[in-house]
């Protein structure tokens, strides 16, 4: 890494920092996640739905006075994220502060900014304490009706949309600017004016839904880390794998972020190096 480097550490969320957040939401409301992913989600994919649109539309069909998710609001989704804090993977709640502490030992040569990029529901992600440690959190957004009940898909983040998020991070396009001008990411920005170079980007994903991001970051000189636990696959991971999703990272680590774990130590050494 070059002098005066801003290291951008980008994490997925579902099955990376915590168990799948949509599955957790369904379980909180007494829904069967296996049926949701193996049947409802899979049937929509067979009908030609984009995977993110498939799961979001299926969730919205379960919202309503007589439906399993009841009259679901953004605040309730945030509360789900807060409840998910009790299920974060080992060390996930501490690794952000550790990376900042490592960078602080090298002022002004190194600084660290952390991000979450996920196809999961943004309000759930932002309800987690992890959001407090991030410069920005990107996730799928839902619109609400006049009563504050989630009612429509507003901004899906598919596995290819994630690459757009990476370019926004790279070019320094903040989320407020993005909301005002969704085309700002297309602006030409000279390399020496970019906020975080891809060379200085670290991407941590589950290897199934993050293939385009892995390819982009690797091809442009960054580092990628695949996270996967064969013995603790979520229903969603199992279904996506069965449908033929490929993994492009040869070596995977279990989602453990303590100093003594393989992934946790690699992340700390990468920032330090």
């Amino acid at each position: 890494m070059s002098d005066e480097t801003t290291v951008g550490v980008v994490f997925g969320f579902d099955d990376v920092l915590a168990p799948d957040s949509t599955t957790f939401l369904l379980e909180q409301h007494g829904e069967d996640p296996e049926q949701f992913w193996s049947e409802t989600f899979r049937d929509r994919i067979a009908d030609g739905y984009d995977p993110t649109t498939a799961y979001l539309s299926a969730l919205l069909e379960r919202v309503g006075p007589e439906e399993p998710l009841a009259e679901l609001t953004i605040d309730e989704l945030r509360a789900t994220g807060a409840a998910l804090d009790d299920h974060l993977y080992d060390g996930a709640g501490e690794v952000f502060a550790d990376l900042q502490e490592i960078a602080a030992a090298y002022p002004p040569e190194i600084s660290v900014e952390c991000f979450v990029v996920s196809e999961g529901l943004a309000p759930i992600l932002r309800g987690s304490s992890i959001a407090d440690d991030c410069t920005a959190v990107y996730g799928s957004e839902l619109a609400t009706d006049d009563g504050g009940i989630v009612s429509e898909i507003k901004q899906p983040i598919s596995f290819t949309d994630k690459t757009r998020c990476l370019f926004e991070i790279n070019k320094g396009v903040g989320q407020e600017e993005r909301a005002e001008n969704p085309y700002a990411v297309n602006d030409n920005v000279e390399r020496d004016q970019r906020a975080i170079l891809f060379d200085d980007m670290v991407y941590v994903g589950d290897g199934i839904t993050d293939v385009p991001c892995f390819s982009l970051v690797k091809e442009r000189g960054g580092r990628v880390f695949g996270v996967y636990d064969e013995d603790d696959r979520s229903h969603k991971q199992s279904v996506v794998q069965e449908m033929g999703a490929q993994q492009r990272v040869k070596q995977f680590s279990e989602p453990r972020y303590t100093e003594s774990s393989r992934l946790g130590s690699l992340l700390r050494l990468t920032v330090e190096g």
Side-chain angles (χ1 to χ4, degrees):
M1 293 176 184
S2 58
D3 293 341
E4 299 184 16
T5 294
T6 299
V7 180
V9 185
V10 184
F11 293 89
F13 190 90
D14 295 336
D15 298 311
V16 175
L17 294 169
D20 182 69
S21 56
T22 301
T23 296
F24 186 72
L25 172 68
L26 292 167
E27 290 172 339
Q28 278 197 319
H29 289 266
E31 277 282 88
D32 179 5
E34 183 174 6
Q35 186 275 333
F36 180 87
W37 294 112
S38 299
E39 298 178 24
T40 307
F41 171 74
R42 195 163 190 160
D43 288 347
R44 288 179 186 237
I45 298 296
D47 285 340
Y49 280 68
D50 172 86
T52 306
T53 304
Y55 99 81
L56 291 174
S57 60
L59 279 180
L60 288 173
E61 284 192 354
R62 287 160 169 75
V63 175
E66 306 299 325
E67 299 297 335
L69 300 184
E71 295 180 311
L72 190 65
T73 66
I74 297 297
D75 285 344
E76 289 173 351
L77 289 172
R78 284 182 173 271
T80 297
L84 195 53
D85 277 351
D86 292 334
H87 304 273
L88 297 177
Y89 294 139
D90 290 347
E94 295 77 44
V95 67
F96 296 90
D98 284 359
L99 297 179
Q100 294 290 353
E101 185 176 338
I102 291 169
Y106 299 90
E109 290 87 358
I110 299 176
S111 61
V112 171
E113 292 189 27
C114 296
F115 304 84
V116 165
V117 176
S118 172
E119 64 180 345
L121 287 169
I124 295 180
L125 312 182
R126 293 178 185 139
S128 168
S129 61
I130 282 176
D132 297 333
D133 295 311
C134 294
T135 300
V137 172
Y138 299 84
S140 297
E141 305 275 5
L142 299 176
T144 59
D145 63 18
D146 292 340
I149 311 302
V150 296
S151 58
E152 293 181 305
I153 300 170
K154 183 177 181 180
Q155 176 77 59
I157 300 291
S158 71
F159 49 84
T160 50
D161 290 319
K162 291 180 182 180
T163 59
R164 168 185 168 158
C165 299
L166 294 186
F167 275 108
E168 290 178 347
I169 292 168
N170 167 245
K171 294 183 178 183
V173 178
Q175 291 184 304
E176 288 187 10
E177 182 180 1
R178 176 195 201 185
E180 294 173 0
N181 178 11
Y183 303 102
V185 71
N186 295 325
D187 291 347
N188 183 46
V189 180
E190 296 297 328
R191 177 180 168 86
D192 62 358
Q193 297 298 311
R194 298 199 175 205
I196 299 175
L197 299 179
F198 279 105
D199 317 50
D200 302 319
M201 199 173 287
V202 180
Y203 192 91
V204 186
D206 69 1
I208 297 174
T209 62
D210 294 299
V211 169
C213 289
F214 280 149
S215 297
L216 174 63
V217 174
K218 281 185 68 177
E219 288 171 1
R220 299 192 176 217
R223 297 286 302 276
V224 301
F225 294 99
V227 177
Y228 183 67
D229 190 344
E230 177 67 34
D231 296 326
D232 190 27
R233 293 190 299 173
S234 68
H235 294 298
K236 177 184 175 182
Q237 279 184 316
S238 297
V239 169
V240 170
Q241 274 194 316
E242 289 168 6
M243 293 174 68
Q246 297 182 0
Q247 295 173 319
R248 295 287 181 86
V249 176
K250 294 182 180 179
Q251 292 188 340
F252 286 86
S253 299
E254 292 183 352
R256 308 288 181 263
Y257 298 89
T258 59
E259 289 188 52
S260 60
S261 68
R262 182 176 186 273
L263 179 58
S265 62
L266 284 172
L267 284 174
R268 290 167 174 83
L269 287 170
T270 298
V271 170
E272 190 171 7

